[in-house]
Amino acid sequence: MSKKDDKKLIVDMISESEFTVQGHGVHTAFVEMTNALKDRNDIDIAVNKARLDADIVHAQTTGLYSMKKMRQSGGKKVVSAHVVPASFIGSIKGAKLLEPLARAYLRWFYNKADLVLAVSDYTKNELEKIGVKKPISILYNTIDTAKYANSPAKKKSARQKLGISNDAFVVVGSGQVQPRKRVDVFFNMAEKMPDVEFVWVGGVPFGVIAAENGAMQRMMNNPPKNLKFTGVIPLDDVADYYRAADVFVLPSEQETFGLVVVEAAAAGLPVVLRDISDYDTTFRDGAVMASSDSDFVTQVDKLRRNKKFYSQQCRLAEKIAKRFDSSAGAERLVEFYRSLI
């Protein structure tokens, strides 16, 4: 790996997801970023330590444990902003009532950093709206796209492993099962397209405190015959579902970034997303945008029947994967680190 100077940076990476709830995008982003830095020879990285000789302490989560570690470490303080107040609405029970408190807390937390790294332009704008005054730069989430690489042989193997017929047309979605993700749209798609196989990768990792937990559990327990909910599964197993699929769909109404989009694109899948401004500077040019709930069915049906359109969207998805590969993200992150010291 390239170096900006001869000094090996000592970095403490902090994430409460290491010992609490996993199965969500923030944990995935933390794992991917940490692994990318471990692959470099100019970084000495440790997880959930607070070394007095650290150059950088980088928090991926915003709990009190992360604040404690930032205060204990001797390094400059960097915080990745994966969440904004709107992220909690449709995710956690009572979020609308607690939004003023969440706004105040996040403003306080992010303002303790020397540098805030927003995961998208949308996120940066939201941070500025809530009163974050510390320097904010944009660092998009990235993944090791090689882990999701696909081929006809890998696709066949994945389908055999998962018990999916070789001639099935498979639509996959991914993320927490919560109102904000609009999993109900995915559910309705399966009902309207009975000859298509649907798989939603993910569950309800936050359990009883999750928004509309009862309704989400009922939906997961009573799907159409052509829809499978995997529940929360190990990150290493997720790639099999992407490889087995033909199309990726995410009907979410709000995303700070949407790391699952990059995962699906890295597996060579055409991507269908809701037409929201959150994707303006990230995925819009590489995805099919659905303008309404019913449009998701229309766009998937077009991808299924129009081979030229399907091939075109696969090529565009490849551009998403290349843009958000972790090697480029790690290089950019180290540049931010060195700018602080």
Side-chain angles (χ1 to χ4, degrees):
M1 288 292 183
S2 61
K3 299 182 182 181
K4 296 303 178 185
D5 56 40
D6 292 331
K7 184 180 185 300
K8 195 169 188 176
L9 287 180
I10 302 174
V11 177
D12 289 337
M13 188 69 74
I14 311 300
S15 180
E16 287 141 313
S17 66
E18 272 287 87
F19 54 85
T20 58
V21 178
Q22 299 180 1
H24 52 82
V26 175
H27 180 68
T28 302
F30 150 70
V31 171
E32 293 285 351
M33 188 176 292
T34 301
N35 288 342
L37 292 177
K38 285 180 178 178
D39 286 340
R40 298 177 63 101
N41 60 15
D42 56 350
I43 299 293
D44 172 3
I45 186 168
V47 172
N48 287 344
K49 302 293 184 183
R51 294 175 288 183
L52 293 178
D53 61 343
D55 298 299
I56 300 289
V57 54
H58 185 163
Q60 298 284 340
T61 52
T62 55
L64 295 178
Y65 175 87
S66 292
M67 178 57 68
K68 177 183 177 181
K69 289 297 183 182
M70 285 202 298
R71 287 176 169 172
Q72 290 175 338
S73 176
K76 292 286 187 178
K77 298 169 178 57
V78 177
V79 178
S80 284
H82 296 283
V83 296
V84 295
S87 304
F88 297 107
I89 298 175
S91 300
I92 303 297
K93 285 182 179 178
K96 287 186 177 180
L97 295 175
L98 295 174
E99 186 177 10
L101 179 61
R103 181 183 298 266
Y105 178 80
L106 290 176
R107 178 172 59 243
W108 170 78
F109 193 101
Y110 290 136
N111 276 324
K112 295 298 182 181
D114 295 301
L115 175 65
V116 180
L117 296 177
V119 296
S120 66
D121 300 75
Y122 161 80
T123 304
K124 180 179 180 180
N125 291 336
E126 291 297 301
L127 296 178
E128 291 172 343
K129 286 179 184 178
I130 68 173
V132 176
K133 301 299 183 183
K134 290 301 180 71
I136 305 172
S137 294
I138 296 170
L139 181 70
Y140 296 125
N141 286 329
T142 57
I143 64 169
D144 179 1
T145 57
K147 292 194 306 184
Y148 298 88
N150 207 355
S151 68
K154 288 182 178 181
K155 182 174 184 176
K156 183 177 181 180
S157 176
R159 289 195 170 199
Q160 184 176 19
K161 177 181 177 180
L162 300 172
I164 298 173
S165 170
N166 286 331
D167 59 358
F169 190 86
V170 180
V171 176
V172 66
S174 183
Q176 296 180 54
V177 178
Q178 56 182 215
R180 177 171 63 89
K181 299 291 185 180
R182 292 304 308 273
V183 184
D184 61 308
V185 172
F186 198 80
F187 187 101
N188 292 336
M189 289 175 68
E191 290 185 321
K192 293 175 181 178
M193 307 180 78
D195 55 341
V196 174
E197 295 295 321
F198 287 80
V199 181
W200 186 272
V201 181
V204 188
F206 291 101
V208 295
I209 68 168
E212 299 182 28
N213 177 55
M216 297 298 104
Q217 293 291 349
R218 285 192 294 274
M219 184 169 57
M220 293 174 67
N221 292 335
N222 298 281
K225 291 182 179 180
N226 60 326
L227 169 58
K228 174 183 177 179
F229 287 98
T230 69
V232 177
I233 61 175
L235 185 59
D236 290 342
D237 294 340
V238 172
D240 284 329
Y241 285 95
Y242 292 132
R243 292 191 182 105
D246 296 291
V247 174
F248 175 83
V249 170
L250 182 64
S252 181
E253 291 184 324
Q254 187 273 331
E255 292 289 329
T256 51
F257 182 74
L259 197 59
V260 292
V261 177
V262 185
E263 294 172 352
L269 300 181
V271 172
V272 184
L273 306 174
R274 187 178 296 277
D275 190 352
I276 52 178
S277 61
D278 308 34
Y279 303 127
D280 283 352
T281 59
T282 50
F283 309 131
R284 180 171 295 279
D285 293 340
V288 179
M289 308 306 289
S291 58
S292 65
D293 291 353
S294 61
D295 200 25
F296 281 98
V297 172
T298 302
Q299 297 292 5
V300 168
D301 193 56
K302 183 178 179 180
L303 285 165
R304 184 186 182 192
R305 300 181 186 282
N306 189 327
K307 293 183 178 180
K308 182 178 180 181
F309 181 58
Y310 185 91
S311 296
Q312 170 189 313
Q313 291 307 133
C314 286
R315 289 192 295 271
L316 291 175
E318 287 178 11
K319 293 182 179 180
I320 291 177
K322 289 180 181 178
R323 183 182 179 193
F324 298 106
D325 184 70
S326 58
S327 58
E331 184 68 23
R332 181 72 172 137
L333 178 58
V334 173
E335 290 176 1
F336 283 127
Y337 288 164
R338 293 200 181 279
S339 72
L340 289 176
I341 60 173

